[in-house]
Amino acid sequence: MSTHKRQNDTAITRRAIQAEAARLVEKGGVSALSMSKIAATLQMTHGNIYRHFPSKGALAAEIAAGWMAEMRAACEAAIAGPSDARSRLYALVRAIRSELMRRADREDALAIYHYVLKHKPDDAIAHHVHRRDLIVQIMTDAGWPKDEETNLQALVILDGLRFFTDPETVAAHRDADMTTRLEKLVAVLGTYIEQNAAD
């Protein structure tokens, strides 16, 4: 067997394991993640699963990384359309909430983000920095300078939006209509961005 074919087979197997693991987590929460169930469903040996993922924790981290990558892509797409700061902030928060709500039927599924905070803090920081950078982009497009003060103000705005973007809060309020509250906050923040842009 060629090296290329082996690499392709390995990649296909890893994706299959990840997909089944993500399905288990989405259906039953983090506690449902089971190497035995994955092996049985995919008709693999436990050894084959562990050859690709040395621990359940490593597999959980991979699922979380995939979910965060999907969220980052959704956020980037969301702010690409609107032109004013208020609409872009609103689109950003809606994209984050939408990605979280896809998995909020099982609050325990969202616990995977807390796993990342605890076990993969560098990944969590990179995810947070990405959100800050998107807000910086909204601000600089509105006329703010690209400097440290803008970065700091973007973090303040991000903190202000946290109620609407935190996984636990989203899960706890998934049945509530948060639209009016979000619109009011985004209106204030959007006005702040537009009125305080450099001349």
Side-chain angles (χ1 to χ4, degrees):
M1 180 184 297
S2 71
T3 302
H4 183 66
K5 171 115 172 71
R6 268 196 306 272
Q7 289 172 341
N8 282 346
D9 289 348
T10 297
I12 290 167
T13 302
R14 278 183 66 87
R15 282 196 299 273
I17 294 168
Q18 285 174 249
E20 179 58 20
R23 189 189 70 75
L24 288 174
V25 171
E26 287 181 6
K27 185 177 175 185
V30 178
S31 59
L33 183 57
S34 162
M35 301 301 229
S36 297
K37 288 179 184 175
I38 294 168
T41 301
L42 298 179
Q43 299 179 337
M44 294 180 179
T45 65
H46 284 80
N48 198 12
I49 301 286
Y50 282 106
R51 198 169 14 260
H52 293 281
F53 296 97
S55 68
K56 192 162 105 171
L59 185 49
E62 196 77 17
I63 294 167
W67 288 6
M68 289 191 296
E70 289 173 12
M71 186 178 292
R72 287 192 296 271
C75 290
E76 290 169 11
I79 70 164
S83 58
D84 63 289
R86 181 186 305 188
S87 298
R88 293 177 85 191
L89 279 178
Y90 186 75
L92 174 63
V93 175
R94 295 294 296 181
I96 294 168
R97 290 181 61 78
S98 177
E99 285 297 307
L100 291 173
M101 291 296 283
R102 287 196 306 136
R103 299 173 175 105
D105 285 341
R106 284 287 313 190
E107 190 171 339
D108 187 38
L110 295 180
I112 203 153
Y113 291 106
H114 298 289
Y115 176 90
V116 175
L117 285 173
K118 183 175 180 181
H119 299 285
K120 306 280 275 178
D122 290 345
D123 289 356
I125 290 168
H127 193 61
H128 189 71
V129 167
H130 179 263
R131 287 186 185 177
R132 183 214 56 197
D133 289 348
L134 292 179
I135 293 174
V136 166
Q137 181 181 339
I138 291 169
M139 295 171 75
T140 57
D141 288 351
W144 285 65
K146 292 184 179 182
D147 61 13
E148 193 56 36
E149 180 59 27
T150 299
N151 286 343
L152 289 173
Q153 291 299 319
L155 285 173
V156 171
I157 291 169
L158 188 56
D159 285 343
L161 295 170
R162 191 176 307 277
F163 177 81
F164 296 97
T165 60
D166 175 71
E168 277 186 7
T169 308
V170 170
H173 295 89
R174 65 179 168 267
D175 296 327
D177 183 6
M178 308 297 269
T179 304
T180 302
R181 291 172 68 180
L182 177 57
E183 285 174 348
K184 286 182 178 179
L185 177 58
V186 167
V188 170
L189 294 174
T191 299
Y192 172 76
I193 289 172
E194 288 163 357
Q195 288 182 350
N196 290 278
D199 293 328

